[in-house]
Amino acid sequence: MLARTHVSYELKDDVAVIRLNDPTAKVNTLTWQLQSELMAVMEEIWANGAVKGAVLISSKPGNFLAGADIKIIQSANSSEEATGFSRQVQKQLEKFEKSPIPIVAAIHGLCLGGGLELAIACQYRIATKSKNTFLGTPEVKLGLLPGLGGTQRLPKLVGLPEALDMMLTGRNISADRAKKMGLVHQLVDPLGPGTKPAEERTIEYLEEVAVGVAKGIANKQVPLTKEKSLMQKLQDTVMGLGQVRKMIYKTASEKVQKQTKGLYPAPVKIIESVKTGLEHGTKAGYLAESENFGKLTVTSEANALIGLYHGQVTCKKNHFGTPEKDVKRLAILGAGLMGAGIAQVSVHKGLTAILKDTTEESISRGHEQVYKSLNTKVKKRALTSFERDVTMSNLSVQLDYSGFQSADIVIEAVSEDINIKHKVLKEVEAIISPHCIFASNTSTLPIKDIAAASKHPEKVIGMHYFSPVDKMPLLEIITTDETSKDTLASAVSVGLKQGKVIIVVRDSPGFYANRCIFQTMAEAIILLQEGAGPKKLDSLMTSFGYPIGPVSLSDEVGLDIAAHVAENLTKAFGVEGGHSAHTILSDLSERGFKGRKSGKGIYLYEDGTKDRSVNPEAEEILKKYKVAAPPAVSSDSDRQYRVVSRFVNEAVLCLQEGILRNPVEGDIGAVFGCGFPPFHGGPFRFVDSMGAERLVSIMRRFEDVYGNRFTPCQLLLDHAQDPSKKFH
Amino acid sequence: MAHFSLKMFSETRFVQTKSKKTLARPGVKNIVLVEGVRTPFLLSGTTYADLMPHDLARAALQGLLHRTGLPKDAVDYIIYGTVIQEVKTSNVAREAALGAGFSDKIPAHTVTMACISSNQAMTSAVGLIAAGQCDSVVAGGVEFMSDVPIRHSRKMRKTMLSLNRAKTLGQRLSLIGSIRLAHLSPELPAVAEFSTAETMGHSADRLAAAFGVSRIEQDEFAVRSHTLAKQAQDAGLLQDVISFKVPGRDIVSKDNGIRPSSMEQMGKLKPAFVKPHGTVTAANSSFLTDGASAALIMSEEKALAMGYKPKAYLRDFVYVSQDPKDQLLLGPTYGTPKVLERAGLTMSDIDVFEFHEAFAGQIMANMKALDSDWFGQTYLGRKSKVGAPPMEKFNLWGGSLSLGHPFGATGCRLVTTVAHRLQKEGGQYGLVAACAAGGQGHAMVIEAYPQ
């Protein structure tokens, strides 16, 4: 027999304590190795008549079992192979469920996916109330379903509505919430330091309590089922009615359809598997679950979403080394939405920040923005009022430059005017210490132009955040030829501390994200000129998978800002990219139609009404620029591809020009910064899966009508010529 | 086990004369404890139930006057400590002093620092004397848990305050109309940390668990406390207790919370805070108590000039503070090594230890922290452990668990008990240490006055 490396156990009196510890990784996942060792251990324990109970616990701080090993899924060559994997583990977990001795899952840290499915096959669950303890079934986010019995056990454990919600959203559930839902039986408080470190002692304590409970269950002193409350009994009765369940499936399906536009297969399969189990018995349910699991693993959607997951992991690492000096103190210039947003994500993660602006009014507004965001968390009980106050104490709003001398990085978020940027850069450079970095949050001005006014261009870098900063995960970092490696490493480390997903691109007008979005917007304007209609156009693009249509997006961003971007990029790339987008956008914004912020854009924004209507005055303006729609390229599908292909081609061009470092960052930037449909995995995976040749032929058709704005770039052509060339 | 070892402590200890050096330092005033008294400490809701806090404080002051024969205008200042303030007597020191018949020319103020409030009152007195501002100060503390301020809800308060300002009947009616049933639910004060919202008992349970203190260890320590308190009470050692004629009731002359019970009885109780697996119970925690204390503190010169024989020197003291969440009750562990270092003493120099017993689990956790090399190195910045006080010198006349713990009054009891034990046991140095809400702590070295 081979020595066990991942699972070990020892006897504490008559309770077997089984410890999960994958020596090859920081986090435990359900690998073949771990799984087979766990089964071998269990067989040994079950065969030992002296053992009265078992405790399943992880030796790793911060995680119980974070899920099934994605490699198992990715290495499956067919849906049958994946179904086989699911069947095999299902059968093993059935043994857990039918265990002759009680098994107590003792959970500290992440208990997700396959980890949760293992835990709910046990007889009892105890979790620490730690801020890092989360339970959940995130499979749907990878385009999969909980394929190890989750779709069958969860509804029985927490009820149909809660189970569907968990599996369809994939959201993480805190320990407190899990207790209330009945997902865990008992909670254990995290401990402070004793005669050993806090984390170590907390896990030990969890184990002690779990061993006590295992003994208690074995002695029948601890009941496995709680006396049900009247409310629960009532709920059970209601759920017992076939009609009610039918209603729930229907409502869930409708909601899924509405949110996914039918583009994501996993939620549908989840509902189907749950339904089969509840309506046709467990046996049929498990079968449906494993078959659906197998089918989902080979879909392009799962492939794209898993790709995004890996990409995200890559973009949450610093690939440029450790900064020479740890960056702790930020100073932010400009307390507008962006500046205050940057301050917010900074202080929230324990950094200190100065927020400077020129008027009392603007710094007061900035302060309120940060305070409000924290206070919302207090109201949701995600934060105590005290933690809010301590966090706020790390923020200083001010009108002068005091304290800038000890800043490690200055991020400017002032008006997009090169003269103002130069002015603040010079003012700041007169005060800051030599190690301090100057970062610009410009969305379009080339960083090298800003750096031109600097005495230390090696310390100048671009940090392009997306609005709203606390919601949008992407940070685009821009380097010039002069930016030093340490400046880059420092900027990346700041972004990572702020919890951002980071892509690093080379300086160029519009960088990467805005350059691609610009293509989308410019084409959208042309489609409006051609009479596509704002609502129709938005719905075309959301049904393609964009979370928001291009017209709404322009209104959200602000038509004045969009006009500004268009102006800069039109200048930089010549007219072929821009056409009259800049003119039309300026015309609209000069009439006061600046988008949501001014109440009127291309749409009208009225408080209290969700269903927004088109702004008739804006429509009048658009009419001025009306052009005829060429019938050959104006079908719904053509209109979608005109928008998408310009975006994708621009992304590929960015890679060709070396703006992007690799396709992974290109995909991450497009999905997290530009709203590119996640199930396509980003423009590069999109090209890979649809085939460059097909895309090129579509673009050629557009090119025939419109000319060179649809000319595919060389790299795309290379891929079209050689189908073996793939970006991923 | 506990009972067996107790017998040894209760043997009358022969008075030994030690020849340790004194902590007197040139250029530093010797400050002495002349006398310390306290009312009997009663379970809240018992005989004191109908009083007010200043009544208890007044009783302690009158007891001090009576015991010392101090002329009512012979002190320079009066300081009291209290935690939960009666809003009508927010400067309870002044109300009690006036009622006790002290001259109205003597200023008085009230301090608050959770369970070390009267320690703060005493050290403030020491500061005033050391600075030459005063020669004699009365310091004490009071807590009255039989009645606490229960407030209207914030919404109700707001309506009521607006009602004061309403000018027309219409405005008044509309304000009254805005009152909802939910606004009537009151706000009760809780023994909880404001910063973490955790109750102290819950924190104590986590602390005990962090140090691996078992339920049995806690129950044993609680039984020890009650047993020793009973012995001390029966032997008449608790000389600081004065008799108090409660208006409309009998004379009270004894603490009423001392209840030695068996380990079996202790074991029957369910955990009070962390359920179901916690270890802190009602019986191994200190109980809500009413009581007051008072001490006369003077410069040695002044005391001798007035013809007093002081009980002890009050020497070095420290205040410490730490994480209010995970180390809420570790004040003694942080304070002890720090004050010893200040005084130039070691653990073995100390003859008498009096630690405040908030919870048996808290005492045992502090013992383990003091005895841990890892804790000493990681949190106290030392090369090795401090070492735990030997049990045969520790809280021999009971403690807060058994005698009771009126938050604001306990500090004076601790200091006076050290003075009395040093006299009785013949030791030279005593150490007081206490924890307090907010993650704070206090420790003081007391030196016996030559007999």
Side-chain angles (χ1 to χ4, degrees):
Chain A
M1 198 183 74
L2 282 166
R4 289 192 192 115
T5 51
H6 290 52
V7 183
S8 62
Y9 78 101
E10 65 170 310
L11 290 182
K12 295 232 160 149
D13 302 329
D14 49 7
V15 174
V17 177
I18 306 155
R19 296 200 174 85
L20 309 177
N21 191 4
D22 182 342
T24 63
K26 259 204 257 177
V27 174
N28 282 332
T29 53
L30 203 59
T31 57
W32 284 118
Q33 179 78 20
L34 190 134
Q35 199 187 317
S36 65
E37 286 189 22
L38 177 59
M39 280 325 285
V41 162
M42 286 316 298
E43 296 295 350
E44 239 177 82
I45 290 168
W46 281 322
N48 183 345
V51 178
K52 300 286 181 249
V55 167
L56 195 56
I57 195 167
S58 159
S59 307
K60 293 216 186 285
N63 71 86
F64 173 75
L65 190 56
D69 182 12
I70 296 181
K71 281 192 216 101
I72 296 183
I73 296 151
Q74 283 185 307
S75 63
N77 292 314
S78 64
S79 73
E80 287 76 23
E81 207 179 309
T83 298
F85 163 72
S86 161
R87 289 297 293 160
Q88 186 188 336
V89 183
Q90 276 180 356
K91 282 195 184 115
Q92 290 170 345
L93 292 186
E94 198 185 339
K95 285 191 180 172
F96 274 72
E97 188 180 298
K98 294 191 172 145
S99 167
I101 56 164
I103 307 171
V104 177
I107 302 159
H108 176 61
L110 297 179
C111 175
L112 302 175
L116 182 71
E117 293 178 285
L118 170 62
I120 61 175
C122 297
Q123 281 66 38
Y124 202 92
R125 284 160 296 285
I126 303 177
T128 61
K129 251 168 111 167
S130 158
K131 276 192 172 169
N132 302 320
T133 295
F134 287 109
L135 298 90
T137 46
E139 288 87 347
V140 71
K141 293 183 182 167
L142 300 179
L144 304 171
L145 58 71
L148 313 178
T151 65
Q152 304 304 303
R153 287 195 184 92
L154 263 185
K156 286 179 194 150
L157 199 60
V158 298
L160 179 57
E162 289 277 21
L164 282 178
D165 182 65
M166 270 181 78
M167 290 187 281
L168 293 176
T169 62
R171 67 193 167 94
N172 279 348
I173 294 182
S174 69
D176 274 323
R177 177 100 190 92
K179 173 77 167 46
K180 279 194 197 108
M181 284 168 62
L183 194 55
V184 301
H185 298 77
Q186 192 175 327
L187 296 181
V188 165
D189 287 288
L191 302 180
T195 52
K196 51 184 83 165
E199 183 80 4
E200 199 181 321
R201 177 62 196 140
T202 297
I203 297 175
E204 232 179 57
Y205 178 56
L206 171 66
E207 183 182 310
E208 286 163 18
V209 173
V211 168
V213 167
K215 284 181 187 167
I217 299 171
N219 303 336
K220 310 236 181 300
Q221 278 165 354
V222 175
L224 279 177
T225 45
K226 230 171 73 176
E227 180 70 26
K228 281 188 178 171
S229 70
L230 192 67
M231 197 57 205
Q232 276 171 316
K233 280 183 192 159
L234 193 72
Q235 226 169 17
D236 288 356
T237 318
V238 173
M239 286 301 152
L241 303 171
Q243 273 316 105
V244 173
R245 291 198 302 272
K246 221 168 160 184
M247 272 282 292
I248 294 173
Y249 302 135
K250 192 163 160 269
T251 318
S253 302
E254 281 167 5
K255 212 171 154 191
V256 162
Q257 177 59 31
K258 200 173 157 217
Q259 284 177 354
T260 67
K261 316 272 178 202
L263 299 169
Y264 294 80
V268 180
K269 295 288 182 201
I270 288 171
I271 298 173
E272 195 182 297
S273 307
V274 169
K275 189 173 169 183
T276 309
L278 286 181
E279 306 307 320
H280 304 289
T282 318
K283 206 175 162 197
Y286 280 114
L287 202 64
E289 179 187 276
S290 57
E291 275 173 6
N292 283 332
F293 178 76
K295 283 180 198 157
L296 287 175
T297 53
V298 294
T299 57
S300 64
E301 290 84 359
N303 186 35
L305 292 170
I306 291 171
L308 276 182
Y309 167 78
H310 287 308
Q312 220 179 332
V313 172
T314 313
C315 292
K316 284 201 157 195
K317 284 185 186 142
N318 195 340
H319 304 280
F320 308 95
T322 315
E324 279 164 26
K325 190 169 184 303
D326 192 18
V327 184
K328 288 179 186 152
R329 274 175 289 214
L330 279 79
I332 298 152
L333 296 170
L337 268 181
M338 291 306 285
I342 298 166
Q344 180 184 331
V345 297
S346 305
V347 294
H348 201 110
K349 296 287 161 66
L351 296 160
T352 62
I354 295 171
L355 188 57
K356 183 205 172 296
D357 209 320
T358 49
T359 67
E360 210 157 87
E361 208 183 328
S362 45
I363 59 172
S364 166
R365 197 215 60 81
H367 187 274
E368 190 64 22
Q369 182 185 332
V370 181
Y371 181 84
K372 245 187 173 168
S373 71
L374 290 168
N375 205 38
T376 310
K377 291 203 158 90
V378 174
K379 283 184 185 152
K380 287 181 184 159
R381 291 172 183 243
L383 208 66
T384 67
S385 64
F386 208 74
E387 287 165 331
R388 174 200 64 205
D389 297 347
V390 173
T391 305
M392 280 307 285
S393 74
N394 288 327
L395 176 72
S396 160
V397 296
Q398 57 192 53
L399 296 168
D400 59 15
Y401 283 111
S402 63
F404 273 58
Q405 65 280 1
S406 55
D408 301 312
I409 183 169
V410 174
I411 302 176
E412 69 78 15
V414 300
S415 309
E416 290 280 84
D417 176 331
I418 190 78
N419 297 319
I420 299 178
K421 305 263 187 206
H422 281 170
K423 183 175 164 276
V424 299
L425 172 62
K426 282 177 191 157
E427 280 175 12
V428 164
E429 276 192 350
I431 305 161
I432 54 177
S433 68
H435 80 275
C436 183
I437 295 160
F438 184 90
S440 172
N441 177 50
T442 178
S443 47
T444 46
L445 296 174
I447 303 300
K448 70 169 170 21
D449 291 357
I450 296 174
S454 170
K455 279 184 279 179
H456 308 286
E458 75 280 5
K459 290 285 182 192
V460 179
I461 196 163
M463 288 176 86
H464 179 210
Y465 293 85
F466 293 73
S467 180
V469 182
D470 58 327
K471 300 256 160 55
M472 296 290 280
L474 190 71
L475 169 62
E476 188 178 23
I477 290 183
I478 306 106
T479 58
T480 69
D481 295 341
E482 291 180 282
T483 308
S484 77
K485 202 182 156 221
D486 185 59
T487 300
L488 173 57
S490 306
V492 171
S493 87
V494 171
L496 290 177
K497 281 182 188 166
Q498 292 166 332
K500 294 293 169 195
V501 175
I502 297 171
I503 64 169
V504 175
V505 305
R506 232 188 57 205
D507 194 19
S508 133
F511 320 129
Y512 168 65
N514 275 346
R515 197 171 146 177
C516 295
I517 291 177
F518 170 65
Q519 295 293 331
T520 303
M521 283 194 185
E523 195 59 26
I525 296 285
I526 294 165
L527 284 162
L528 289 178
Q529 287 177 268
E530 289 181 2
K535 284 208 153 183
K536 168 77 179 166
L537 181 56
D538 272 354
S539 99
L540 269 181
M541 296 323 291
T542 51
S543 67
F544 188 82
Y546 280 90
I548 179 171
V551 185
S552 295
L553 181 65
S554 310
D555 267 3
E556 293 293 334
V557 169
L559 298 181
D560 52 336
I561 291 175
H564 186 74
V565 173
E567 184 190 357
N568 278 314
L569 294 184
T570 310
K571 261 190 228 157
F573 295 110
V575 282
E576 73 270 35
H579 286 274
S580 43
H582 164 231
T583 325
I584 298 171
L585 286 166
S586 313
D587 202 354
L588 285 163
S589 63
E590 274 159 26
R591 295 278 284 275
F593 307 142
K594 292 184 179 171
R596 181 190 279 281
K597 60 188 171 189
S598 63
K600 281 179 181 178
I602 296 175
Y603 291 110
L604 291 174
Y605 297 87
E606 282 155 4
D607 283 340
T609 51
K610 247 186 155 182
D611 202 31
R612 68 180 74 120
S613 52
V614 178
N615 179 3
E617 292 170 281
E619 261 189 322
E620 280 304 310
I621 295 171
L622 287 170
K623 268 187 196 153
K624 272 200 322 199
Y625 298 96
K626 195 168 167 47
V627 293
V633 289
S634 295
S635 71
D636 282 357
S637 157
D638 280 346
R639 285 177 163 170
Q640 288 175 327
Y641 274 99
R642 277 167 58 187
V643 174
V644 173
S645 63
R646 280 186 71 177
F647 184 103
V648 172
N649 185 56
E650 196 71 11
V652 177
L653 184 60
C654 283
L655 182 64
Q656 179 187 314
E657 289 178 357
I659 307 297
L660 280 173
R661 300 193 312 139
N662 53 51
V664 171
E665 293 190 6
D667 280 346
I668 291 291
V671 171
F672 293 104
C674 316
F676 195 86
F679 71 93
H680 283 313
F684 295 95
R685 201 172 289 275
F686 176 76
V687 173
D688 278 354
S689 65
M690 95 172 274
E693 204 189 342
R694 226 186 105 205
L695 183 63
V696 165
S697 76
I698 293 173
M699 289 184 75
R700 291 289 189 210
R701 209 155 46 75
F702 300 155
E703 192 186 14
D704 287 345
V705 178
Y706 291 110
N708 60 6
R709 76 170 193 258
F710 285 104
T711 307
C713 68
Q714 190 55 47
L715 184 57
L716 194 57
L717 290 173
D718 292 349
H719 276 243
Q721 256 158 27
D722 181 358
S724 70
K725 276 194 175 169
K726 294 279 181 197
F727 289 113
H728 289 287
Chain B
M1 176 61 201
H3 290 273
F4 180 73
S5 47
L6 293 177
K7 279 239 163 97
M8 280 183 3
F9 307 141
S10 64
E11 300 296 325
T12 320
R13 299 166 66 92
F14 51 91
V15 174
Q16 45 180 257
T17 36
K18 296 203 175 175
S19 54
K20 287 178 191 163
K21 63 175 166 79
T22 169
L23 291 175
R25 264 176 251 149
V28 177
K29 245 182 219 175
N30 279 331
I31 295 166
V32 294
L33 173 74
V34 174
E35 183 58 277
V37 300
R38 63 181 177 93
T39 68
F41 286 175
L42 301 192
L43 298 157
S44 64
T46 58
T47 314
Y48 297 151
D50 296 326
L51 299 177
M52 282 181 68
H54 70 286
D55 294 325
L56 279 177
R58 189 178 65 236
L61 286 174
Q62 280 170 331
L64 186 70
L65 286 171
H66 182 250
R67 180 104 24 119
T68 55
L70 183 75
K72 287 179 174 176
D73 57 356
V75 293
D76 305 317
Y77 207 95
I78 296 170
I79 310 172
Y80 252 74
T82 197
V83 178
I84 297 189
Q85 280 182 321
E86 161 61 52
V87 284
K88 286 182 188 161
T89 58
S90 60
N91 187 2
V92 70
R94 179 65 174 160
E95 313 305 339
L98 287 173
F102 276 95
S103 158
D104 60 8
K105 298 286 185 285
I106 303 171
H109 82 262
T110 302
V111 293
T112 188
M113 202 175 179
C115 301
I116 49 179
S117 293
S118 61
N119 307 76
Q120 184 54 257
M122 295 182 84
T123 56
S124 298
V126 168
L128 285 172
I129 296 168
Q133 296 286 324
C134 300
D135 288 320
S136 77
V137 178
V138 170
V142 60
E143 205 67 42
F144 187 66
M145 297 302 288
S146 290
D147 182 32
V148 292
I150 296 173
R151 303 200 294 181
H152 271 297
S153 68
R154 181 76 189 247
K155 283 209 169 107
M156 190 67 188
R157 269 148 45 208
K158 201 174 169 188
T159 310
M160 289 161 89
L161 290 169
S162 309
L163 214 50
N164 274 342
R165 289 190 295 268
K167 292 201 171 66
T168 65
L169 184 66
Q171 283 176 342
R172 274 184 212 119
L173 284 176
S174 100
L175 275 169
I176 291 168
S178 73
I179 297 170
R180 297 283 169 272
L181 202 62
H183 299 179
L184 295 173
S185 60
E187 253 178 46
L188 284 103
V191 187
E193 281 299 296
F194 182 75
S195 64
T196 62
E198 187 181 24
T199 63
M200 194 178 273
H202 196 277
S203 192
D205 203 313
R206 286 198 306 112
L207 186 72
F211 283 93
V213 178
S214 71
R215 167 75 183 266
I216 291 180
E217 280 176 282
Q218 294 179 47
D219 284 353
E220 274 177 358
F221 185 81
V223 171
R224 173 191 191 267
S225 180
H226 280 276
T227 312
L228 290 177
K230 183 81 172 67
Q231 286 171 4
Q233 192 178 50
D234 291 349
L237 296 173
L238 307 178
Q239 318 150 39
D240 55 341
V241 180
I242 52 151
S243 291
F244 176 22
K245 169 67 179 74
V246 181
R249 306 257 197 153
D250 292 337
I251 292 178
V252 181
S253 50
K254 267 184 171 183
D255 304 325
N256 74 355
I258 305 172
R259 294 169 182 181
S261 55
S262 68
M263 282 299 287
E264 199 201 346
Q265 282 169 308
M266 296 290 290
K268 279 184 190 158
L269 267 83
K270 287 205 166 132
F273 302 99
V274 173
K275 294 162 188 173
H277 52 270
T279 51
V280 173
T281 69
N284 61 34
S285 313
S286 56
F287 48 86
L288 295 181
T289 312
D290 300 337
S293 55
L296 180 58
I297 299 167
M298 288 186 174
S299 65
E300 183 180 24
E301 224 179 335
K302 176 80 175 177
L304 296 176
M306 286 183 75
Y308 288 120
K309 169 122 177 93
K311 286 185 187 282
Y313 292 108
L314 303 182
R315 298 297 192 190
D316 293 277
F317 63 85
V318 295
Y319 287 92
V320 292
S321 59
Q322 62 282 337
D323 174 14
K325 181 159 180 61
D326 288 333
Q327 303 196 334
L328 182 69
L329 306 174
L330 286 184
T333 299
Y334 283 88
T336 299
K338 210 170 160 188
V339 80
L340 287 176
E341 195 182 323
R342 267 189 77 92
L345 298 177
T346 63
M347 272 305 236
S348 58
D349 291 324
I350 304 296
D351 304 297
V352 165
F353 290 91
E354 282 293 326
F355 277 31
H356 162 49
E357 301 169 348
F359 300 86
Q362 161 259 334
I363 287 288
M364 299 314 290
N366 274 286
M367 292 290 189
K368 297 197 183 206
L370 286 167
D371 207 31
S372 159
D373 283 328
W374 184 82
F375 193 91
Q377 285 154 5
T378 315
Y379 288 97
L380 303 176
R382 299 168 57 91
K383 288 201 181 71
S384 62
K385 66 185 176 186
V386 180
M391 288 307 264
E392 63 273 16
K393 294 179 180 175
F394 189 84
N395 292 10
L396 292 188
W397 295 354
S400 297
L401 285 173
S402 46
L403 300 170
H405 172 40
F407 308 138
T410 290
C412 271
R413 177 186 69 73
L414 294 171
V415 172
T416 307
T417 304
V418 166
H420 287 162
R421 275 184 58 199
L422 284 172
Q423 285 183 336
K424 186 83 187 166
E425 296 166 15
Q428 186 164 6
Y429 299 120
L431 180 83
V432 159
C435 58
Q440 311 211 73
H442 167 74
M444 182 189 257
V445 169
I446 293 140
E447 184 180 343
Y449 199 83
Q451 294 189 16

